[in-house]
Amino acid sequence: MQKIRMNTEFRNKILNRYVDSAEKENTQEKEAFLQAREDVDKAYQVAFPVAQQVMTRHFPKEDVDTCRALKKKYGSPLDVVAKDKCFHFAYIEDRPLKEDENESDLKKEEHFDFGLYGNVGEGRYDDRTGEEFANAYYRDELKANGKNADIFPQMKDKEDNPHLTKHRDENKKFLGYSGYSSYNSDNDNTTGMTQKFDSQWYLDIIGTSHCRSRTMTCNKDEFLIFTLLKQAKSNLITCHNKWIASIEKQKQAMKTGLKAYRYLSEGVELMKELGIEIDEAELVRTNSTGLTIYNPVNLASMIKGMKNTTQTREQKIAERLLYEKQNQATN
């Protein structure tokens, strides 16, 4: 029987099948991502009640109710109360001043945003960490609806381009985020999943300062809890990046190997070595280390080594010996 020659269509089909399988596989990188997402939910459940306590100390419920009643009676002239989900919290360190310090050096202050698109970086606004978190947290929903939730990890360290902008806009539209257009959070113009997520974390605040961001004092332990929430959100971004980076690395190795193959049967053999059942008939129906590395057995071994990277020294030695043995057998 005449061998079927490899072509671009077959390469893409094999590659897409592999990526789909790689995303479903329960690797260490994926498990870390899933655990990080669970940790975010736990961190919210710990941090929000603490935020409620801090805000109630600053703005007692009876004062909030009075302000809202006056606002309802007299309108905008008494618009001094609203709900918000982002705050400045601060505490004063209890320690002696150092020689080159003054009182202000003892104050630790940070901006905390409980919203889905809340920044988890060093600054308050104008970075992409909020978007990265939203894409990672709702990755399943985005993927199920044909959106590219992995666009940031895929484009890491690359400059802005139309491809990135297109997927960013699609993701934000799907999640219901169009930017917080009003300083008064009673009127935030989010919809859908963003609105549903944010609605859990609003607290009453009295004041007319910019973006309702006047500083509220708390104690050191409370401040630490807020910091842990931000760290949990940041860790989800990191785990998402590592997982997708692993898949992208495998994907690139697959592309290089498939490009070197002349016949479709070689691609089918590679997939079988990777534990993915596929046959030539199905593909037809549905329409630089040298050549030895692209032998299906060797390439499969190399790609497997790109995931589950947390290994003991003994495991690494064993895998290396196996790789060399396979190389000797094929040469």
Side-chain angles (χ1 to χ4, degrees), residues 39 43 47 112 221 223-233:
D39 290 344
F112 298 94
D221 290 339
F223 191 89
L224 177 61
I225 288 172
F226 302 141
T227 301
L228 291 175
L229 170 60
K230 187 179 281 190
Q231 289 175 356
K233 295 175 73 173

Side-chain angles (χ1 to χ4, degrees), residues 1-7 10-11 14 257-258 260-273 276 278-281 283-284 294-297:
M1 181 177 179
Q2 186 175 7
K3 286 188 174 182
I4 301 174
R5 295 189 68 86
M6 183 69 83
N7 60 32
F10 291 144
R11 289 188 180 98
I14 294 172
L258 290 171
Y261 293 162
R262 295 181 60 190
Y263 299 105
L264 179 58
S265 58
E266 294 174 287
V268 171
E269 183 182 354
L270 169 62
M271 292 289 276
K272 289 181 178 179
E273 287 293 334
I276 304 170
I278 193 170
D279 59 47
E280 290 188 21
L283 291 169
V284 172
Y294 301 122
N295 172 282
V297 175

Side-chain angles (χ1 to χ4, degrees), residues 7 18 53 67 69 72 79 83-84 93 104 116 142 149 236 267 275-276:
N7 60 32
Y18 178 77
Q53 294 172 12
C67 288
K72 184 176 181 180
D79 184 12
K83 290 187 177 295
D84 210 342
E93 288 191 313
S104 63
L116 179 63
L142 286 163
L236 176 60
I276 304 170

Side-chain angles (χ1 to χ4, degrees), residues 79-191:
D79 184 12
V80 295
V81 62
K83 290 187 177 295
D84 210 342
K85 55 177 181 45
C86 58
F87 318 96
H88 281 78
F89 292 122
Y91 77 96
I92 305 298
E93 288 191 313
D94 183 17
R95 62 173 177 79
L97 285 171
K98 298 177 182 177
E99 289 186 8
D100 57 345
E101 290 183 327
N102 54 44
E103 294 291 338
S104 63
D105 292 316
L106 297 178
K107 185 177 182 179
K108 300 300 178 183
E109 179 181 359
E110 200 164 335
H111 178 258
F112 298 94
D113 191 334
F114 284 77
L116 179 63
Y117 279 82
N119 168 39
V120 299
E122 292 296 325
R124 298 180 192 173
Y125 314 105
D126 301 327
D127 71 16
R128 296 174 177 177
T129 56
E131 277 188 69
E132 291 181 89
F133 171 76
N135 288 356
Y137 189 82
Y138 281 119
R139 183 182 187 273
D140 295 345
E141 291 80 359
L142 286 163
K143 291 281 291 184
N145 286 273
K147 310 303 178 186
N148 187 352
D150 304 325
I151 187 63
F152 282 116
Q154 290 171 353
M155 302 298 292
K156 189 173 178 60
D157 300 325
K158 295 183 180 179
E159 295 182 357
D160 283 354
N161 56 73
H163 177 70
L164 173 61
T165 300
K166 170 180 176 288
H167 290 291
R168 288 181 66 187
D169 290 345
E170 287 182 356
N171 291 348
K172 285 187 286 189
K173 182 178 180 181
F174 175 79
L175 293 177
Y177 177 76
S178 55
Y180 299 122
S181 63
S182 172
Y183 295 151
N184 186 329
S185 293
D186 282 345
N187 298 322
D188 271 352
N189 60 343
T190 59
T191 59

